[in-house]
Amino acid sequence: MLIFCSLAVACSGEMATLSVKPGQRFTVPDWHTNAELISADAESQRSASHRVRQETRALRNETNNQAKWDEHDNQTRLTERISSVNRWKETLDKCLADIDEEIDALAKVKEAAERALQAKNLSLDVAIECLTLRESRRAIDVVRDPVEDELHKEVKVIDKAKRELQQRVNEAFEQLCHLQEARQQLSFDHRGKMEALEIDRVCLSLSVNSPNISFKVNPTRVPNGSTAVDEWEQNSQYNKDHAEAEMKASTKLREVIMLAIAQTNNELEAQRVATEFALRKRIRDMERAYDELKWQERNTLEEIAEMEEDIRRLEEDLRRKMQDLKVAHTRLETRTYRPNVELCRDQVQYGLTDEVHQLEGIIRALKLKLAEAQDALDALYRQLYRIQTDIGYKANSLMLDNKCMDSRRKLVVPAEKFVPEVDTFNRTTNRAPSPLKNGQLELA
């Protein structure tokens, strides 16, 4: 180009004063070299561009494939993670259902134990009532009999049963607290699984066409509180194992509580039967003693009546003998007035004298026998008073023991059907001793 310009300038210079433009002149070889250099540079640039294009295409293919595989792998990982979390969620669902069922079962057993414990109060009240009633016995009937022993034993059995049941109720309460704590852990873990599932499912649904995607600040950071997969697995496994262990302990405790309820009920029932057997036996013994006393009372009253009749007859005989003695005395005294020689000791005199001596002996014997009979009558009245007093004691004791039996019906008859029986044993009503004659009670 420069050469062409120079030639043009030279030609024009020759034509008009041949003026030459100042500047560098290149040679033809330079010109050819320049052309070749330009061609070579162009080839080189095109080759470099081609290589870059090939590398770009390869990079695009590689990055597209890598991105697709990465996205596919992450989709797979998300799917697997969702499946894993979902499996744990289902496990926790079942565990939560089981622990809820166990909590409900243990609560029902605890309520049964509380009802059994409450029922023991009635048994204790009845036993104490019977002991209190029997404290109203009087005199010789205040004995430490088998009934009292069985009642005291019954109180001890009830106290022991109440302590055991109260301990089981406390254990059930503590176990319910442990179950609730384990359930809270499971529920907390379950909620976390639900939220994680929701988040991972949202992530799984995201694509380049999703409207809510954007760049985030430092998305690759590790959030505070992050855990490793093993820790995550161990946490869920621990919660599950802990809940299962508490459920196993609860099941064992339920069995122990039901066994305790059955054992305490059986022990108390056996003691109730023993107490009531002793009470019925004591009532039978008391009835026999009461009947014996009534028989003795009837016989004693009959004997008193006969003795009083004999004393009356003895007194009549004594009066008659006194009259006979008066007659004999009068005859003897009258015959002392016979005159002179007529006052002789004849057979009449001897007969009347013997009669007086005989009558005096008879009267002494009758008086002695009358005193003896009176003493026997007094003794009979004293014994009758003792009998009737003891009858009163026995009647009172029978009434109390029958009240105890009536009160103990509350242990086997439902409260709504229980109707106290009043004076079922008519002979045991409190009665004053029969009035005695001639103030003989003062002799006791």
Side-chain angles (χ1 to χ4, degrees), residues 28-39:
V28 173
D30 290 337
W31 181 82
H32 287 290
T33 299
N34 180 64
E36 292 174 358
L37 182 60
I38 291 172
S39 296

Side-chain angles (χ1 to χ4, degrees), residues 106-140:
L106 183 58
K108 290 180 180 178
V109 171
K110 176 176 172 288
E111 291 176 359
E114 290 173 343
R115 288 193 299 272
L117 179 60
Q118 183 68 28
K120 300 300 180 289
N121 291 333
L122 176 61
S123 300
L124 183 60
D125 291 342
V126 169
I128 293 176
E129 180 183 358
C130 290
L131 286 171
T132 305
L133 281 172
R134 300 187 93 244
E135 285 299 317
S136 298
R137 293 174 296 170
R138 299 196 298 267
I140 190 62

Side-chain angles (χ1 to χ4, degrees), residues 247-262:
M247 285 189 286
K248 184 177 180 181
S250 176
T251 301
K252 184 177 180 181
L253 180 59
R254 283 194 291 113
E255 295 174 354
V256 171
I257 292 175
M258 295 304 296
L259 180 61
I261 293 174

